[in-house]
Amino acid sequence: MAHLLVDRISKQYGNHIALKDVSFEIPKGKIFGLLGPNGAGKTSTIRMLTRILYPDSGEILFENEPLADRHVRSMGYLPEERGLYKKMGVSEQLIYLAQLKGMSKSDAIREINHWFDRLEVDHWKKKKVEDLSKGMQQKIQFISTVLHRPNFLILDEPFSGFDPVNAEKIKSEVIRLKEEGATILLSTHRMESVEELCDNICMIHQAQKILDGSVRDIRESMKEGLVQVRHKEPLEERPMKDMLAEYIDGKTEAGAYVSRFRLAPYADTNALIQWLLNHVTLISFEEALPSIHDIFVKLVSQDVSSFHAKEKDATQL
Amino acid sequence: MNKVFIIIAREFITRVRKPTFILMSLLGPVLFGALLIVPTWLTTIESEDRALLIKDESGLLLNADTYTSGLLISFTDVDLEEAKEEVSSGVFSGLLYVPATDTKDPQGVRYFSNSTPSVDLRNNLRNIVNRAVEKQKQEDMGISEEQLRALKADVAISMISLKDQNEAEQNAIVASIIGYATSFLIYIFILLYGIQVMRGVIEEKSNRIVEVILSSVRPFQLMMGKIIGVAAVGLAQFLIWVVLAIGLYTVALNFFAPELAQADLQASSPAAPQAQMDAEAMEMVLSSIKSIDIPLILGSFLVFFLLGYLVYSGLFAALGSATDNDTDSQQFMLPITLPLIVSILVLGAVLKEPDGSLAFWFSMVPLTSPIVMMMRVPFGVPAWELALSISILISFFLLITWLAARIYRVGILFHGSKISYKTLYNWLRYSYR
C-alpha cells in the first residue's frame, strides 16, 4: 500500500519550470530514494510534500487522503537547508522543536534521553549549539527530526556534514527506523548509500521524472552485458572485440586480477568463458549489474549542455 | 498547548534572560534620568565672564544701568581704531560702539568682535542699549519710577477646561511634558523592539532553522509568535522601569527629604517672596496634574504603543524575511523609519497647536498617529477623533499584517540574490494556489 502517492504534480516559478508532471508512490515501511542532480526539482518536490509550497497542478495523497497540514505536522522533516538556534541550549532546543510537533514536554525529555544514549552524546545536553562542532550539530539536527516518533520521514541529504564513521552510524539508525515500521523518503546525490538503503527510487532530471521503480529491477533493466571476471594470472591478450567481448578495464584486488568485459552483440557467455579458460585460471565469473551511480551519471549526462543552463535558473528559488 | 503560544514563550524567555535585557532593565531609568538632567545641568554651569569694551560717544550709556550677568563691562575713551585694536589683540572679546547721536533714537550703534556673537549676546547688548534709551525717555517725560511701576500690568489667566465637571485648572506645561514623554517612549519602543523583530527573523533565516520549524507551524504563526513575544518583552521592560522608577523615587525621597527641607528653609529666609511664588507654582502644577485624566492617558498610551508596535513590527518582519543579513536590510530601513522620524519632527508644531489641522491629519495617518496622537491626548482630544484614529490604525494593522505575511512566507525561504522593490511586489502577488 502506498503511504504517499504523488500524482502528476507540476510547479512553475515565473518562466522557470521547476517540476513537470512528476508521479511516484512511496510504499509503506520502505526507504524511497528521490534522486537527481542539483536543481532537478528535488527540493521543490519535498517542499510540496511538506506543504511549504503547493503544486500548480496534480495531487498528493497521504494514506489515501489529500495531503493536509495535519499529515505534515506528524512527519519528521530534515531539510537540506537546516540549522538550529545557535544561542539556545541543546536540550532546551530539542524540547522546543518537539513541542512544536505537538509533543508534551515530559515525553520530549524521555525521548531526548533515549536518543542521547543511542548516539552517545549524553554529555552535550547542557551545551549551547554554537559550542558544538558541525558534525555534532548534525547529530542534534537528526535527533530533532526523529524525536516525535514520526511514521513518515523526509531526509534531504541526511549524511552531509558527517565523517564516515558517524555517517555509518546514522545510516544504521535510518535502517533501524525502517525496521520499526517508518516510511522514509531519502533525497541524496550520494549514490553508494542509495544501493545500501533504498528499496525504491525515483530519478528526476530537468524537472521531469526519468526513472522509477525498485532498485533491483532498475539495475537489472539497465544492464549492458557487462561481466566481471576474477582470475589468477594477468591477462596478456584481449578477446576479439566484435566477435566475443570488449575489454573495459582491469585492476588487482586481494591478490587476484579483476577484469570487466562488455559482451559483443549475440555473443555467448560460454564462449567468453571458453576463451578465458585458455588464457587464465578463473576464480569467478559474474554478470556485473550497473551501479545506481553509473545509471545516474549515464542518464543525467545525456543532456549535459541544457542541464547547465538550468542549474543557473534553479538557484533562483 | 497552542503552537503560537509555544513560540511566544520561546521568544520571551530567550530574550529576557539575555544580559543586555537585564542590563537595560536596570540602567534604563538611570539613563533616562541622565538624559533629562544632564542637558539642564550643562546649561547651568556658569561660563566665564566675557570682557566687553564700550566706547560711548553719545553719553547715553554712561549713567545707565549696564549690569548684565556674564558680562564684564568697561568703558574706554581711546579712539575707535585703538579700541578695535584691543579687541583684535584678544584683550577684550568685543567692542560696543555708540557714536555721537540722538539719544532718543540712536543710529549707527555697532558691535565689533573676532567671532560671530551668539544670540544671547545680541539680546543682551540690545537690552543694554534699549534700557538706556527707555530710561532717557522716561526722564525726559518726567515719569517717576513709582509711576512707571504703577503702569505695569501682570494679569494671570487661569486655563480651565470645560470638559471636566469640576472645571479643574489646566497647565499646558504639564500636558506637554506628559505628551512629549509618552510620544518619545512610543518612538523608542517601536524602533528598539521593531528592529529586534527584524533581527530575529534574519537570525532564523540565516540559521536555516526556519524550514525545520515550517514543517510544524504555518509561516503566519511563526511571524505572529515572534511579534507578540517581542511585544511581551517590551511590556515587561516597561513594567520593570515603572516599578524601578517608583522605587528609586521613594528611596531618594526618604534619604534626601530632610536635607532638602533644610536647604529650602535656608534658601527661603532671604528671599521669602520667591519661595512663596515657588509654592504657588507648585500648587498649580499639582492641581493641573490632578486635572489630567491619568486613566485616559495610560489607556491611550497602551493602545497606541501596542498598535503602533504591531504595525511597524509587521513591516520589520517582512523586511527581515526579505534580506539575508543586517547590511542588506539597510536600504529598506529608511522607508520604514522615515514616518517615525517625521512624527518626532512635527511634535513641536503639534505642541503649538494641539487641535490644529496639522496635528489632526498627522494623528489620523496610521504610520504617524501612534506618536502624534499621544502628544495631543494630554491636551484633550474629542472622543470621535480618538476613536477614528484608533479604528484607522487597527484597519491599517490588519492590512499591513496581511501584506507582511505574504512577503514573509516567500522571503524566509529565499536565499541568494539581492532583492529589489520589484521582487517584493512580485512576492506580494505571488500565489501559492
Side-chain angles (χ1 to χ4, degrees), chain A residues 62-229:
Chain A
F62 189 88
E63 290 175 333
N64 293 326
E65 290 173 38
L67 184 71
D69 274 352
R70 70 193 153 86
H71 298 133
V72 175
R73 303 302 170 245
S74 72
M75 293 178 187
Y77 177 37
L78 183 69
E80 186 182 9
E81 301 276 6
R82 54 189 175 240
L84 299 162
Y85 289 110
K86 300 227 171 345
K87 302 276 178 202
M88 260 180 120
V90 170
S91 286
E92 182 188 23
Q93 177 144 215
L94 287 173
I95 292 170
Y96 173 65
L97 292 173
Q99 280 182 322
L100 285 185
K101 282 284 182 193
M103 242 185 162
S104 76
K105 193 170 175 177
S106 54
D107 282 354
I109 292 173
R110 207 183 47 239
E111 283 296 310
I112 289 168
N113 288 333
H114 167 73
W115 276 100
F116 275 30
D117 281 347
R118 277 203 78 79
L119 294 179
E120 293 150 17
V121 293
D122 213 29
H123 48 289
W124 297 350
K125 250 188 234 175
K126 291 259 153 61
K127 284 199 177 176
K128 274 189 183 175
V129 171
E130 61 184 348
D131 299 328
L132 301 180
S133 74
K134 181 109 195 287
M136 293 170 176
Q137 291 186 18
Q138 292 294 321
K139 269 192 186 175
I140 301 299
Q141 194 101 50
F142 180 79
I143 293 175
S144 77
T145 311
V146 296
L147 207 56
H148 62 289
R149 298 180 165 275
N151 69 350
F152 190 93
L153 272 164
I154 296 176
L155 306 176
D156 199 349
E157 299 291 352
F159 309 116
S160 71
F162 283 116
D163 59 54
V165 177
N166 280 309
E168 279 309 314
K169 198 177 262 178
I170 296 298
K171 219 177 266 180
S172 62
E173 288 303 327
V174 171
I175 291 172
R176 203 177 61 85
L177 286 165
K178 172 192 148 181
E179 282 163 359
E180 287 176 1
T183 307
I184 296 163
L185 186 151
L186 182 74
S187 164
T188 184
H189 45 245
R190 278 181 48 171
M191 296 304 155
E192 65 280 9
S193 52
V194 172
E195 272 159 55
E196 278 175 64
L197 293 173
C198 296
D199 303 293
N200 300 287
I201 58 166
C202 169
M203 215 177 264
I204 305 177
H205 181 42
Q206 297 181 339
Q208 288 178 330
K209 181 173 80 179
I210 50 172
L211 193 65
D212 73 340
S214 85
V215 172
R216 197 184 309 137
D217 290 351
I218 288 173
R219 291 177 70 186
E220 195 70 38
S221 70
M222 297 295 282
K223 70 181 177 191
E224 301 167 303
L226 283 185
V227 293
Q228 181 169 304
V229 181

Side-chain angles (χ1 to χ4, degrees), chain B residues 121-363:
Chain B
L121 183 65
R122 268 174 227 227
N123 289 340
N124 283 340
L125 293 173
R126 231 187 10 234
N127 281 342
I128 291 172
V129 178
N130 284 347
R131 241 171 19 225
V133 174
E134 277 167 15
K135 187 160 183 251
Q136 189 82 40
K137 285 181 176 174
Q138 175 206 331
E139 276 166 13
D140 288 356
M141 291 175 184
I143 303 172
S144 69
E145 282 295 321
E146 288 76 37
Q147 282 172 309
L148 190 68
R149 212 170 294 145
L151 259 175
K152 283 219 172 111
D154 184 13
V155 180
I157 299 177
S158 300
M159 304 293 165
I160 293 164
S161 163
L162 286 177
K163 229 177 63 187
D164 300 311
Q165 285 169 334
N166 55 357
E167 297 196 357
E169 276 191 57
Q170 275 203 323
N171 188 328
I173 294 170
V174 174
S176 51
I177 288 174
I178 291 176
Y180 257 122
T182 47
S183 311
F184 264 101
L185 263 180
I186 288 183
Y187 168 77
I188 288 168
F189 267 90
I190 287 178
L191 213 55
L192 224 58
Y193 288 96
I195 285 174
Q196 278 210 27
V197 168
M198 184 183 82
R199 290 253 163 82
V201 173
I202 292 177
E203 185 205 3
E204 273 167 3
K205 192 184 171 185
S206 56
N207 263 354
R208 317 268 162 143
I209 195 173
V210 68
E211 200 168 337
V212 178
I213 293 176
L214 287 190
S215 72
S216 307
V217 300
R218 299 265 90 208
F220 185 72
Q221 291 176 308
L222 181 59
M223 185 179 97
M224 285 322 283
K226 184 170 286 296
I227 288 176
I228 297 169
V230 173
V233 176
L235 284 176
Q237 180 135 68
F238 181 67
L239 209 69
I240 294 173
W241 283 354
V242 169
V243 170
L244 270 184
I246 292 173
L248 275 182
Y249 179 74
T250 328
V251 169
L253 216 62
N254 282 335
F255 264 96
F256 301 115
E259 287 174 40
L260 277 177
Q262 211 159 13
D264 248 10
L265 209 67
Q266 282 171 355
S268 60
S269 43
Q274 181 70 32
Q276 201 187 331
M277 258 172 68
D278 277 356
E280 264 172 36
M282 209 45 220
E283 208 170 292
M284 227 167 83
V285 168
L286 280 178
S287 77
S288 59
I289 285 176
K290 269 184 219 144
S291 82
I292 279 165
D293 191 347
I294 293 194
L296 175 77
I297 287 178
L298 216 62
S300 22
F301 174 76
L302 282 178
V303 167
F304 281 105
F305 162 61
L306 277 178
L307 286 175
Y309 163 81
L310 287 173
V311 166
Y312 275 96
S313 58
L315 292 172
F316 277 117
L319 169 56
S321 76
T323 50
D324 280 341
N325 52 51
D326 280 355
T327 331
D328 283 354
S329 63
Q330 294 305 323
Q331 59 159 329
F332 296 103
M333 278 285 271
L334 187 67
I336 297 181
T337 46
L338 200 64
L340 282 176
I341 296 164
V342 167
S343 338
I344 288 295
L345 289 180
V346 298
L347 279 191
V350 170
L351 185 62
K352 266 188 200 149
E353 214 179 340
D355 39 12
S357 63
L358 179 104
F360 175 80
W361 287 111
F362 272 98
S363 58

Side-chain angles (χ1 to χ4, degrees), chain A residues 262-284:
Chain A
R262 179 177 287 118
L263 280 176
Y266 317 113
D268 194 337
T269 42
N270 279 356
L272 181 60
I273 293 172
Q274 207 82 64
W275 183 88
L276 283 165
L277 286 173
N278 291 332
H279 292 83
V280 292
T281 313
L282 271 184
I283 298 169
S284 69

Side-chain angles (χ1 to χ4, degrees), chain A residues 246-266:
Chain A
E246 180 191 357
Y247 173 83
I248 297 171
D249 54 12
K251 58 185 177 186
T252 55
E253 197 181 282
Y257 296 88
V258 181
S259 303
R260 292 204 300 163
F261 300 92
R262 179 177 287 118
L263 280 176
Y266 317 113

